[in-house]
Amino acid sequence: GHTTMAMWIDDELYVCESTIEDSYWPVDGIQKTPYRKWLKQAEEAGFNVVHAPLSKESRDKFNTTAAINFFDSVEGNEYGYQNMIFGWLDTLNDNYPCLPEESSNTCLSWELVEPIFAIIDRIAPDISNVMWNQALNKRIN
């Protein structure tokens, strides 16, 4: 799946997203595309697009100015595979996947992740470079 966000920026509706350059999207990274152009690209790509508006409560809490400022601060950055691992690995101990509920005491841990990263780094450095090394190096800096 792929998630986007539609936002009004400077009186124009844009679809904001992070994606890679391909036959439908001419630009890599975090980007905004005018809404109608994005719909045309999505249709040409054969996307199944679902509009899921925020609830009233969430709309009331949403800070549009902060969202636009954040987007402006990251627009054009590469984003995607390089940060994929941090979609669920964002704390030292609290976000690792677990086995199904009946075995919920059995979860992945940093003590296992760290050597797995090292092993994959040795046998498939191209994969580890794309999946986590670039992101880890950015955070270490």
Side-chain angles (χ1 to χ4, degrees), residues 6 17 28 33 50 64 76 83 101 105 115 118 121 130:
E17 64 187 325
D28 259 340
T33 305
V50 176
T64 303
N83 271 329
E101 287 186 36
N105 291 339
D121 195 38
V130 168

Side-chain angles (χ1 to χ4, degrees), residues 39-76:
L39 283 178
K40 183 175 188 271
Q41 290 172 207
E43 183 177 6
E44 289 172 357
F47 288 176
N48 178 13
V49 176
V50 176
H51 177 237
L54 294 174
S55 68
K56 178 173 178 5
E57 180 182 353
S58 294
R59 282 193 313 271
D60 290 344
K61 291 178 183 177
F62 188 77
N63 184 333
T64 303
T65 302
I68 292 170
N69 288 341
F70 173 77
F71 178 82
D72 287 344
S73 76
V74 297
E75 184 178 15

Side-chain angles (χ1 to χ4, degrees), residues 100-125:
E101 287 186 36
E102 63 272 4
S103 305
S104 63
N105 291 339
T106 306
C107 301
L108 192 59
S109 68
W110 178 249
E111 291 78 16
L112 182 58
V113 169
E114 186 177 23
I116 288 173
F117 278 15
I119 290 166
I120 294 172
D121 195 38
R122 287 194 179 172
I123 62 173

